[in-house]
Structures are given as structure tokens and as C-alpha cells.
Amino acid sequence: MSGIISKEVLLSKFKGALVGAVLGDCIGSLFEGLWAKSIQVEKVLQNIGQLESAYDAEKDAKKPEKQHKLLWDYTDDTAMARSVAMSLIENKGLNPSHLAQLFSEEYFANPYRGYGGGIITVFTKLRDTEYSDPYKPASEQFDGAGSYGNGGAMRIVPAPLFAYKQNDVEKLTELVEQITKITHSHPSAVDGAIFQSFAVDQALRGPEEVNIGSFCDELQRRIREREESEVTRDQCTSPSEYPYASIVDDIRKYASQDSLPSEEEISENLGTDISAYRSVPAAVYSFLRATKPIDKLQDRNSFEKTIILAITLGGDTDTIATMAGAIAGACYGIEAIPKSWQAGCEAVDDALKFAEQLHQLSVSD
Ligand code: F2R
Ligand code: MG
Ligand code: MG
């Protein structure tokens, strides 16, 4: 899929992936739950303009970048991604009880981050049982069906970074499945997280010049293999036998169109809600469509276009933008992410630190 990537470029891509995810969450959360019609690209640009002028003002006042005032906080998406990163780094692999504990402790320390309604029950049961069976509480959600929410996919970005070195799709799939099932056991949530992790992995390994056709072909091949290997398809609420593999056809169609599809069309056909199946495809679409020109965004690079486009789709904007930002950051690297955006959003420093630590694990023997 790619040529050899130097250590420096790989580090830039790791940083881009984690920082891109944080920024998508922080900026996207300002619009979460709004209809696309009430967002409009101008409104998103206005908010981004705030970040940019605050940055310029502080720079003019000669304030060091680290001391710039933070404008926007992250939400549950980043809170959970941070726990995934910290646990993988500390354990040099997955320790399900430890990760369950980090998720739960983080929630009880900062419960105001806008978590999903159901997942709080999982955190409570995990804490009350002292993390003894980290998969049981999630398996009991929704009368045993498990959550199909996008909470697994929204936080998964550290996993493809951690698994980068192995370069083994099956191992990545297994890692993502085990991380996701701590809170989301529904097949659609698990496959959504796997789908998102494949997109990040491909962006890490691929060139900056994205070919929409080959990106979709590879993504479809990988996810079809996963869907074919599953046995419990009867629980799935999705419209076809291979839901994620099938929806790649729509992602490809909409991303390849020269004229920008309307937000309504994307929302109706790919989805912009809190379920994994109806949000992860919109994130991949945003990344791919942003490789092409977009009206009113001619002076923005492809990373910036990805975030802005993802938010203008409306609905679950923080989560779609965090997933899209992770893929775009993995593709274009940290240099593509404006310094002004990084300076105004919470916890970017930590994302950079986690990227260095995951990169270190990736390049060491
Ligand atoms: N929760 C939100 N946003 C709303 C409030 C945010 C507001 N800005 C604020 O400040 O308060 N966002 C976050 O939630 C999404 C991720 O959710 P997650 O982690 O998947 O949670 P959960 O509870 O497992 O699932 C979400 C809801 O989906 C429905 N659902 C899931 N599985 C179901 C099933 N098998 N049967 C029926 N319903 C099911 C339920 O309504 C769940 O509560 C992200 O957007 C994140 O940003
Ligand atoms: Mg959120
Ligand atoms: Mg959300």
C-alpha cells in the first residue's frame, strides 16, 4: 500500500492522528446535536476564526504558545481516547481490567464531559465489581443486545498507532474488538470501531495524495473479510448482510462527486447520529471528500477541510469530526494542523506526548 515511511514522517503522522482527533472533538462539540441546516459553513468558520484571532493576539503580545488561553474543552470522545492511549502505553498492550478502571475513574472524576446515556451504567457496574470481569457490564446493556453507539469508534485512534508495528490486520482487528467490548458489545459498534481503525491505519501507511478509489477498495476488502468471519450476524440491525462493506460503495460515490453532496443527502444516506453504523461512514466520507475542492474553503488545506466538512453535516458533530480528524491527521501529519487550532483546544500537549510514546513503542526493537 505504501513505500517506506521514515521515522520522522511516522512521528508526524502519529501526532497528526491524536491531535486531529482532539481538535475534531473540541471544535465539533460546539455544534453537537444541531441540524445541518442550522450550522452552515460560515458559522463553523466564525468559530475557527475565534481560535485564529485569539492565537494572533497572544502571539502579538509575545506570549509563549504553551501559555495561550484555552478556548474549548474536549468531551467524552477524547476523555476515553486518552484512557486507551494511557493504558496501552503503560501496559505495552491491552490490559482490559486496567483500561476499564481508567474509563470508569475518568468518568467519575469528570462526569460533565457529555457521555452517552447508557454507558454510565457500565462505568458504575465496573466500579462496583472492582473491574473483576471487565466485559460483563457491557454485555448486559440494552437487555443483553449491547450498545450500538459510536462510543467504541470515537476513542479507538490509539489502537492502530499501537498496532502499527505489527502490520497485521487480524491483530489490529482483535485489539480493537477487545477494547471496544469493554463498553460496547453490539456487533455494529464493534465493527464500526474496526472500520474506523482500518481507515486510520490506511491513512498512516498511505501517501498524502489520497486516491479515493484505492482507499475505498482496500477499506472494503478489509471490512468484508471481517464481516464474513463473523458468526452472530442475527443481532445486527443493519440493512444488509455486510453493512459496512456495502456502505463503502456510497462513501466512494459521494466522496468522488465533483459537486458537493448536500448535508441532507449525506445525513440520510450515510447517517450523522450517535449509532456507530450511522456515523463512522460519514467520518470516512468527510476525510475523502476533503481531498477535493470545496466551495468557500479554497484557502483551507485538506485537514482543515475535513474538520469543517464533518461539522457541517450536523448531528453528532464532535464524534464525526473526531473520527474524521483522526484519519486526516494520520494522513497529512501534524504540520497540516494549524498551530492556532492546537493552541486553543484542551489537552493537545498530552496528545503530542502520547503520540511520542506510541511512536517510541513502534520504532523500538
Ligand atoms: N451523549 C452525547 N451527546 C449528547 C449530550 C451532549 C451534550 N452536549 C452535553 O453537554 O451533555 N455524546 C456522546 O455520546 C455518543 C457516544 O455514546 P456511547 O458512548 O456509544 O454511549 P451509549 O450510551 O452506549 O449509546 C448511546 C445511545 O445510543 C442508544 N443505544 C445504543 N445501543 C442501543 C441499543 N442496543 N438499543 C437501544 N438504544 C441503544 C441509547 O439511546 C444510548 O444512550 C457520542 O456522540 C459522544 O459524543
Ligand atoms: Mg462527545
Ligand atoms: Mg458526540
Side-chain angles (χ1 to χ4, degrees):
M1 191 194 313
S2 67
I4 301 214
I5 295 177
S6 70
K7 279 185 188 178
E8 292 72 26
V9 171
L10 189 64
L11 177 59
S12 167
K13 282 171 163 270
F14 274 31
K15 287 179 175 175
L18 295 191
V19 172
V22 173
L23 298 185
D25 180 19
C26 288
I27 304 171
S29 68
L30 305 169
F31 300 89
E32 192 184 18
L34 297 178
W35 294 107
K37 268 200 171 66
S38 66
I39 297 180
Q40 309 287 339
V41 73
E42 289 80 4
K43 265 202 189 156
V44 184
L45 287 171
Q46 222 173 41
N47 282 80
I48 284 171
Q50 278 181 42
L51 279 176
E52 293 168 343
S53 36
Y55 180 77
D56 289 343
E58 306 225 41
K59 227 169 111 195
D60 288 348
K62 305 227 179 316
K63 224 181 188 182
E65 271 177 29
K66 286 202 166 162
Q67 288 169 26
H68 284 205
K69 201 169 110 221
L70 292 177
L71 292 187
W72 295 314
D73 293 342
Y74 63 77
T75 75
D76 58 333
D77 307 55
T78 302
M80 297 192 81
R82 286 163 57 86
S83 294
V84 174
M86 287 189 277
S87 190
L88 287 175
I89 291 164
E90 187 175 333
N91 296 287
K92 293 196 171 60
L94 178 62
N95 175 340
S97 295
H98 180 255
L99 180 53
Q101 184 168 355
L102 291 194
F103 282 154
S104 183
E105 285 179 353
E106 169 57 33
Y107 168 72
F108 287 106
N110 299 293
Y112 56 83
R113 299 263 189 201
Y115 284 85
I119 199 168
I120 295 160
T121 311
V122 178
F123 297 141
T124 306
K125 286 186 183 175
L126 284 170
R127 181 188 61 179
D128 293 351
T129 55
E130 294 181 354
Y131 318 102
S132 54
D133 186 349
Y135 292 109
K136 189 158 179 270
S139 71
E140 293 168 347
Q141 288 292 87
F142 300 99
D143 295 326
S147 170
Y148 54 61
N150 53 20
M154 73 185 184
R155 65 173 189 240
I156 207 61
V157 55
L161 273 54
F162 178 81
Y164 182 84
K165 187 178 169 181
Q166 291 177 307
N167 195 8
D168 181 328
V169 172
E170 266 180 46
K171 289 207 168 101
L172 172 60
T173 302
E174 197 182 323
L175 176 67
V176 171
E177 179 163 12
Q178 296 313 310
I179 291 174
T180 305
K181 282 184 166 171
I182 295 173
T183 51
H184 292 69
S185 66
H186 194 288
S188 185
V190 175
D191 286 357
I194 291 170
F195 192 67
Q196 166 68 7
S197 75
F198 286 168
V200 172
D201 181 64
Q202 289 180 209
L204 284 173
R205 293 177 197 281
E208 267 191 40
E209 296 77 31
V210 182
N211 180 306
I212 296 173
S214 2
F215 193 95
C216 287
D217 288 348
E218 176 65 10
L219 188 57
Q220 193 165 41
R221 187 191 66 72
R222 288 182 179 196
I223 199 68
R224 184 178 292 280
E225 212 162 279
R226 157 70 187 180
E227 289 181 326
E228 277 173 352
S229 75
E230 284 178 282
V231 281
T232 49
R233 298 239 52 93
D234 56 322
Q235 288 181 57
C236 211
T237 53
S238 305
S240 69
E241 203 179 348
Y242 301 117
Y244 285 97
S246 305
I247 207 158
V248 174
D249 290 331
D250 285 339
I251 297 174
R252 186 198 327 261
K253 179 179 85 182
Y254 291 120
S256 305
Q257 257 175 237
D258 283 337
S259 60
L260 189 69
S262 73
E263 292 81 17
E264 289 75 18
E265 205 173 350
I266 296 303
S267 172
E268 200 177 310
N269 294 293
L270 298 183
T272 53
D273 65 38
I274 57 159
S275 69
Y277 182 61
R278 290 189 58 78
S279 57
V280 186
V284 177
Y285 156 77
S286 301
F287 161 66
L288 291 174
R289 183 56 185 77
T291 60
K292 294 165 72 75
I294 300 179
D295 258 6
K296 300 179 190 159
L297 300 179
Q298 294 90 339
D299 55 343
R300 300 281 172 178
N301 70 27
S302 295
F303 175 85
E304 296 169 80
K305 282 193 282 177
T306 299
I307 298 285
I308 297 166
L309 178 60
I311 295 173
T312 57
L313 299 178
D316 197 357
T317 50
D318 63 331
T319 302
I320 295 171
T322 202
M323 296 188 291
I327 307 167
C331 180
Y332 307 118
I334 192 72
E335 290 78 15
I337 305 184
K339 285 253 170 68
S340 56
W341 297 23
Q342 297 184 46
C345 292
E346 188 186 8
V348 167
D349 280 1
D350 280 347
L352 291 168
K353 182 185 76 189
F354 297 146
E356 295 208 0
Q357 290 170 323
L358 287 165
H359 179 257
Q360 194 51 44
L361 290 174
S362 243
V363 295
S364 59
D365 297 322

